[in-house]
Amino acid sequence: MTHIVIRVVNIFFNHCVTCYTEEGAIDSSIRDISKATGLSIATISRYINDSGYVSSESAEVIKKAIKELDYVPNENARAVFKNSSNLIGIVVSSLSNPFFAEMTMHLEEKAQERGYGVILFTTNDDIDKEREAIRLLKGYRVKGIITTRTQLKSEMSKLKTPIVSFETEVNDKIITVAADNFKGGQLALKHLLERGCKKILHIRGPKSFEAAELRYLGFKDEAKRQNVNFDIVQFDSDFHVAYNLEENIGDKDITEYDGIFVFNDIAAVLILRYLLKRGVNIPKETKVIGFDNSYIGGLSYPSLTTIEQSVDGIASKCINLLLDLVEGKNIKEKRFYDPVKLIQREST
Amino acid sequence: MTHIVIRVVNIFFNHCVTCYTEEGAIDSSIRDISKATGLSIATISRYINDSGYVSSESAEVIKKAIKELDYVPNENARAVFKNSSNLIGIVVSSLSNPFFAEMTMHLEEKAQERGYGVILFTTNDDIDKEREAIRLLKGYRVKGIITTRTQLKSEMSKLKTPIVSFETEVNDKIITVAADNFKGGQLALKHLLERGCKKILHIRGPKSFEAAELRYLGFKDEAKRQNVNFDIVQFDSDFHVAYNLEENIGDKDITEYDGIFVFNDIAAVLILRYLLKRGVNIPKETKVIGFDNSYIGGLSYPSLTTIEQSVDGIASKCINLLLDLVEGKNIKEKRFYDPVKLIQREST
């Protein structure tokens, strides 16, 4: 009797696995195929999962029904079966910054090319929103996470899910991809000197923004090497500079400088606007250079000279490294710096 | 014996349901809790799913282990059990358009506020990419879909998943949310007349872009009512106007107009640039008005007068209507037009 019971249980167990984990008993579509074809759910399941014998006649009938009923396999069931979804999570600070908007688009495209869907979270640099995003991504058992400007280094360090961090260095083990921001700062200083600037200003990003700090350090390093001085105006925010530009600049007269390096393009375009409004001739009287090469610099007049960080190159690197980790590859190198280059336009 | 077999099968079945659909047998975390507490998977499952008796001592022990092990329930398993995930799909044409970038961000925020995650697809207005997005969203059994500028009206009509369409009218049954584009076109014409314009040009969007067509029709309607004429330059693309502005304008001399209404902000900023580069004084010689009120119009110099469509209002409407549909509400009205308003800045 024991033998019989075990056999029955086994049959039932296989059925459970089939209909619960591969399709879900409550999934109407596999039932629809069963109804339409008159074949058993078990047979259809064997066909769909390629997990056992199905006669060629039945296979033909099922194939036709799948097409007619427009049946799509349940990804969630697959995810449960494998304890991992076909999704990757992207946690991005804001899509109001055109660089991040373009980067998100590239990440999504490249993930899809490699067969992964993307769950998106925007945090607006709010630490609680980031925490909630991470909690939900765990719940969805995403295959991997691409994070930008994380403020949760210790939580990130504890996650078992593969992570690639854009810009922020989380710890020694988590891969970081970033543009070579330090080099970019150096290029900016060199360019202003080549263009003959004597009185130089740097609009420095918020100190919490690590990439902007590296741009500043590179700029400073090159200035030291070239034995030139520069002044600094410190900005306390990144995306919403628009709303407090006057407050950030204070009573400093930035129109008296003949060369200005701004920590990113969106702030640089605002500086252009500020100077033009005060009658400064750009580039004749003042030269302005930004950082990013987001599309916004090509729309302004004069168009913006900038240091390009390749959004396409960075997005590819992030996705490829993440999926290599997902597939179990051991990647020794943990820091990847994407090359930057000067894009000269009308503002210098 | 039959009785015994059925009983055994029942026990086994319950176990399958528990561990496969609620947690997944291969899910290590529920096992980790079992190991850490010395309690059975069944007990832990009852606690997590609130599906049966657990002694208060055991409950306390499990609660502590969940916290220590940082256990998060498997959303995919829940999705299989309910045959629907806690995800909604967003299919957006491009994040390079700042309006869509901001809208995507608002949609994601509002979805999260109501407890839903977002799977993002960008299509770049490519019909094959849109088709693939829909196929994958079906696979993920998303709760609902927000689509923008769909080119797959007949496929959309066949979907059983609730849909809210932004801008494009799919059919009589699917809800469309859009700004009142026709009214916006009327406002633009009125404004140019109020500002004293006599020789008026409309930069018309690609005809496939329904919202832009409505803006044109509203502009034309008001012009007829006011008995004024205007010329048209037809643009054949939306986002990538930057790359073929000269080609679109051709040998037409647009500097001779004193009032220009452009179908969206990004194209309007490019027109500003084009005119400024040719020495036109804006707004003195030529007044320019765009459409959207995306942040880009606030960055340019002169800043752009525009017709605002409220991204926040539209995103709220889309999410609220979609989740009402998801929750089974019957919504009789199928067309929702969000009010527009004039935002006057420096360009008029």
Side-chain angles (χ1 to χ4, degrees):
Chain A
M1 196 197 84
T2 316
H3 178 74
I4 296 170
V5 171
I6 288 173
R7 207 182 127 72
V8 172
V9 167
N10 262 340
I11 292 167
F12 208 94
F13 177 78
N14 286 334
H15 180 70
C16 280
V17 171
T18 305
C19 68
Y20 280 89
T21 70
E22 281 300 318
E23 277 314 312
I26 21 23
D27 186 336
S28 61
S29 27
I30 202 162
R31 283 194 185 155
D32 292 343
I33 300 172
S34 171
K35 263 191 218 162
T37 58
L39 294 166
S40 72
I41 284 174
T43 305
I44 293 156
S45 191
R46 281 203 304 280
Y47 173 84
I48 289 167
N49 301 313
D50 197 16
S51 62
Y53 175 76
V54 179
S55 74
S56 59
E57 292 82 10
S58 297
E60 209 46 53
V61 169
I62 296 168
K63 203 173 151 188
K64 210 177 140 215
I66 281 177
K67 211 180 161 186
E68 273 168 14
L69 294 169
D70 196 19
Y71 166 82
V72 180
N74 186 332
E75 289 288 340
N76 304 312
R78 285 194 190 178
V80 174
F81 192 65
K82 296 178 190 162
N83 195 29
S84 178
S85 67
N86 257 341
L87 292 167
I88 64 167
I90 294 182
V91 185
V92 74
S93 35
S94 171
L95 298 179
S96 289
N97 180 319
F99 181 81
F100 280 117
E102 288 176 270
M103 172 139 160
T104 301
M105 197 163 65
H106 281 278
L107 289 172
E108 189 274 326
E109 276 172 11
K110 284 169 209 306
Q112 231 196 92
E113 276 165 27
R114 290 193 57 172
Y116 292 85
V118 156
I119 302 196
L120 173 73
F121 290 90
T122 59
T123 64
N124 257 317
D125 289 329
D126 178 326
I127 196 162
D128 290 330
K129 290 192 82 178
E130 190 184 352
R131 195 170 281 122
E132 179 63 7
I134 297 302
R135 198 185 67 79
L136 289 166
L137 289 173
K138 278 191 214 167
Y140 289 115
R141 303 293 191 265
V142 292
K143 269 268 181 4
I145 297 172
I146 289 174
T147 174
T148 64
R149 297 198 190 170
T150 178
Q151 296 178 73
L152 295 174
K153 292 190 183 187
S154 80
E155 284 88 337
M156 287 286 170
S157 302
K158 280 185 232 149
L159 282 182
K160 287 170 199 158
T161 316
I163 299 170
V164 169
S165 170
F166 173 64
E167 282 189 351
T168 307
E169 302 196 349
V170 178
N171 65 28
D172 291 350
K173 285 170 197 156
I174 290 178
I175 288 175
T176 306
V177 175
D180 193 344
N181 290 294
F182 188 88
K183 178 77 181 292
Q186 292 177 316
L187 290 179
L189 192 279
K190 273 186 203 158
H191 179 67
L192 290 180
L193 292 184
E194 276 163 22
R195 303 296 294 147
C197 301
K198 306 275 181 222
K199 201 164 162 29
I200 295 173
L201 176 70
H202 175 46
I203 306 275
R204 185 174 169 188
K207 287 178 187 169
S208 59
F209 174 9
E210 290 180 22
E213 276 302 279
L214 287 167
R215 291 166 200 174
Y216 156 68
L217 291 172
F219 195 74
K220 191 168 90 166
D221 174 80
E222 190 63 25
K224 199 177 166 190
R225 198 190 313 268
Q226 307 265 0
N227 204 23
V228 296
N229 293 318
F230 64 93
D231 289 344
I232 292 172
V233 167
Q234 173 80 52
F235 274 22
D236 60 9
S237 76
D238 178 6
F239 306 130
H240 304 296
V241 170
Y243 307 116
N244 52 12
L245 189 64
E246 264 77 8
E247 204 179 289
N248 273 297
I249 293 174
D251 47 17
K252 184 133 191 142
D253 182 9
I254 69 165
T255 64
E256 66 183 31
Y257 295 91
D258 64 0
I260 304 181
F261 168 48
V262 191
F263 68 99
N264 76 7
D265 280 353
I266 202 160
V269 169
L270 280 160
I271 292 292
L272 282 184
R273 177 177 154 73
Y274 184 96
L275 295 170
L276 291 166
K277 206 169 177 179
R278 283 157 184 77
V280 177
N281 183 321
I282 295 168
K284 215 174 159 192
E285 293 171 306
T286 303
K287 291 167 180 56
V288 178
I289 176 168
F291 201 110
D292 276 348
N293 194 28
S294 62
Y295 64 84
I296 207 165
L299 300 177
S300 67
Y301 180 73
S303 58
L304 186 69
T305 295
T306 191
I307 304 295
E308 176 183 75
Q309 51 174 336
S310 157
V311 64
D312 192 59
I314 288 170
S316 289
K317 228 167 234 170
C318 288
I319 289 288
N320 290 335
L321 287 165
L322 186 70
L323 297 182
D324 284 352
L325 289 177
V326 164
E327 287 160 15
K329 278 189 198 150
N330 182 22
I331 302 166
K332 276 193 184 162
E333 209 182 322
K334 303 296 178 191
R335 301 287 178 262
F336 293 83
Y337 300 102
D338 207 60
V340 291
K341 71 175 182 205
L342 177 81
I343 305 288
Q344 194 180 348
R345 297 205 190 91
E346 296 158 348
S347 69
T348 56
Chain B
M1 197 197 86
T2 315
H3 179 73
I4 295 170
V5 171
I6 289 173
R7 206 182 130 71
V8 171
V9 167
N10 262 339
I11 291 167
F12 208 95
F13 178 77
N14 286 333
H15 180 69
C16 281
V17 171
T18 304
C19 67
Y20 280 89
T21 70
E22 280 300 315
E23 277 314 310
I26 20 28
D27 185 336
S28 61
S29 25
I30 203 163
R31 281 192 187 157
D32 291 342
I33 300 173
S34 171
K35 264 190 216 161
T37 58
L39 295 166
S40 72
I41 285 174
T43 305
I44 293 156
S45 192
R46 282 202 303 279
Y47 174 83
I48 289 168
N49 302 313
D50 197 16
S51 62
Y53 175 75
V54 179
S55 73
S56 60
E57 292 83 11
S58 298
E60 210 47 51
V61 169
I62 297 168
K63 202 171 151 190
K64 209 178 142 214
I66 282 177
K67 209 177 162 191
E68 272 167 14
L69 294 168
D70 197 18
Y71 166 80
V72 179
N74 187 332
E75 288 289 340
N76 304 310
R78 286 194 190 177
V80 174
F81 191 67
K82 296 178 191 162
N83 196 30
S84 177
S85 67
N86 258 341
L87 292 167
I88 64 168
I90 294 182
V91 186
V92 74
S93 35
S94 171
L95 298 179
S96 288
N97 180 318
F99 181 81
F100 280 118
E102 287 176 89
M103 172 139 160
T104 301
M105 197 164 64
H106 281 278
L107 288 172
E108 188 274 327
E109 277 172 9
K110 284 170 210 304
Q112 232 197 91
E113 276 166 26
R114 289 194 56 172
Y116 292 85
V118 156
I119 301 197
L120 173 73
F121 290 90
T122 59
T123 64
N124 257 316
D125 288 329
D126 178 326
I127 197 163
D128 290 330
K129 290 192 83 178
E130 190 185 353
R131 194 169 281 122
E132 178 63 6
I134 297 303
R135 198 186 67 78
L136 289 167
L137 289 173
K138 278 191 213 167
Y140 288 115
R141 304 291 191 267
V142 291
K143 270 268 179 8
I145 297 172
I146 289 174
T147 175
T148 65
R149 298 198 191 169
T150 179
Q151 297 178 71
L152 295 174
K153 291 190 183 185
S154 81
E155 284 89 337
M156 286 285 170
S157 302
K158 279 185 233 151
L159 283 181
K160 287 169 199 160
T161 316
I163 298 170
V164 169
S165 170
F166 173 64
E167 280 188 354
T168 308
E169 300 197 349
V170 178
N171 65 27
D172 291 350
K173 286 170 197 155
I174 289 178
I175 288 175
T176 306
V177 175
D180 192 344
N181 290 294
F182 189 88
K183 178 78 182 292
Q186 293 176 316
L187 290 179
L189 192 280
K190 272 186 204 159
H191 179 68
L192 290 179
L193 292 184
E194 276 163 21
R195 304 296 295 146
C197 300
K198 305 274 180 224
K199 201 165 164 29
I200 295 174
L201 176 70
H202 175 46
I203 306 275
R204 186 174 169 189
K207 286 177 187 169
S208 60
F209 175 10
E210 290 180 22
E213 275 302 279
L214 287 167
R215 292 166 200 174
Y216 157 69
L217 291 173
F219 195 74
K220 191 169 90 166
D221 175 80
E222 190 62 26
K224 200 177 166 191
R225 197 189 313 267
Q226 308 264 0
N227 203 23
V228 296
N229 293 317
F230 64 93
D231 290 343
I232 292 173
V233 167
Q234 173 81 51
F235 273 23
D236 60 9
S237 77
D238 177 7
F239 305 131
H240 304 297
V241 169
Y243 307 117
N244 53 12
L245 188 65
E246 263 77 9
E247 203 179 291
N248 272 297
I249 293 174
D251 48 15
K252 184 131 190 143
D253 183 9
I254 68 165
T255 64
E256 66 182 29
Y257 295 91
D258 64 0
I260 303 180
F261 169 48
V262 191
F263 68 99
N264 76 6
D265 280 353
I266 201 159
V269 169
L270 281 159
I271 292 293
L272 281 185
R273 179 178 151 71
Y274 184 97
L275 294 170
L276 290 166
K277 207 169 175 175
R278 283 156 184 78
V280 177
N281 184 322
I282 295 169
K284 217 174 159 189
E285 293 171 306
T286 303
K287 292 168 180 52
V288 177
I289 177 169
F291 201 111
D292 276 348
N293 195 27
S294 63
Y295 64 83
I296 207 166
L299 299 178
S300 68
Y301 180 72
S303 58
L304 185 70
T305 295
T306 191
I307 304 294
E308 176 182 76
Q309 52 173 336
S310 157
V311 64
D312 192 59
I314 288 171
S316 289
K317 228 168 236 170
C318 288
I319 289 288
N320 291 335
L321 287 165
L322 186 70
L323 297 182
D324 284 352
L325 288 177
V326 164
E327 287 160 14
K329 279 189 198 150
N330 182 22
I331 302 166
K332 276 192 183 162
E333 209 182 323
K334 302 296 178 191
R335 301 288 177 261
F336 294 83
Y337 300 103
D338 206 60
V340 291
K341 69 174 184 205
L342 176 81
I343 306 289
Q344 194 181 347
R345 297 207 189 91
E346 297 158 349
S347 70
T348 55

